[in-house]
Amino acid sequence: MRCPYCGSLDTQVKDSRPTDDHASIRRRRVCPDCGGRFTTFERVQLRELMVVKRSGRRTPFDRDKLETSIAHALRKRPVAPERIERMVNGIVRQLESAGEAEVPSSTIGELVMEGLKALDDVAYVRFASVYKNFREARDFEELLGQLGAAEEGAPQLRSDD
């Protein structure tokens, strides 16, 4: 593993342990050349996935990009990082186990929307507004109407009660 500080290829693993969800291995490393310490994570990758964009362009699947887009939607929301990590792991597992080497970006978007809907309504609306390219307030009203209809049977908490 290349040192992120000095670029040396001779780094040493000082500690390895599984993450809390046992989906990856956390390794603490040290560079003998500059003394820099850093952490890496090792995950199982079942297959190399390609994402087919709306334009038809193909790009390699990037887990970090998925995590970043979900993190943007959940910014300043009270959702535990472990729940976010479980959601990302679940989406990646679904994509890898689907059996297809090429995955349409729309499939990934729908999986993210499903996951966010279960985690946090505000993040769901944020993500949907970008994913579905909302142009006016009416788009938000329609989505909120659908969200409200889906939750109609659930008890509602109101701040004025």
Side-chain angles (χ1 to χ4, degrees), residues 128-142:
S129 70
V130 174
Y131 175 67
K132 295 185 181 239
N133 201 17
F134 286 4
R135 294 280 182 217
E136 48 193 54
R138 184 178 29 207
D139 297 332
F140 284 96
E141 290 170 358
E142 288 174 17

Side-chain angles (χ1 to χ4, degrees), residues 56-102:
R57 193 169 55 101
R58 288 165 168 68
T59 61
F61 175 76
D62 184 354
R63 179 191 174 92
D64 293 335
K65 185 175 178 182
L66 176 65
E67 288 175 351
T68 301
S69 63
I70 291 170
H72 281 304
L74 285 163
R75 187 167 173 242
K76 294 188 178 182
R77 299 300 301 157
V79 178
E82 299 80 30
R83 294 184 70 199
I84 299 167
E85 183 67 21
R86 269 196 309 264
M87 179 183 149
V88 171
N89 287 340
I91 291 171
V92 171
R93 242 186 330 271
Q94 282 181 278
L95 294 172
E96 288 178 339
S97 63
E100 298 295 321
E102 293 186 346

Side-chain angles (χ1 to χ4, degrees), residues 116-122 124-125 143-157:
L116 287 174
K117 192 173 188 179
L119 277 183
D120 186 87
D121 288 344
V122 172
Y124 169 73
V125 172
L143 182 70
L144 291 172
Q146 293 169 3
L147 192 59
E151 294 178 352
E152 208 162 272
Q156 300 291 317
L157 296 175

Side-chain angles (χ1 to χ4, degrees), residues 14 18 22-23 29 32 66 109 114 127 143 155 157:
K14 288 297 180 189
H22 296 281
R29 295 178 177 266
L66 176 65
E114 271 179 40
F127 186 85
L143 182 70
L157 296 175

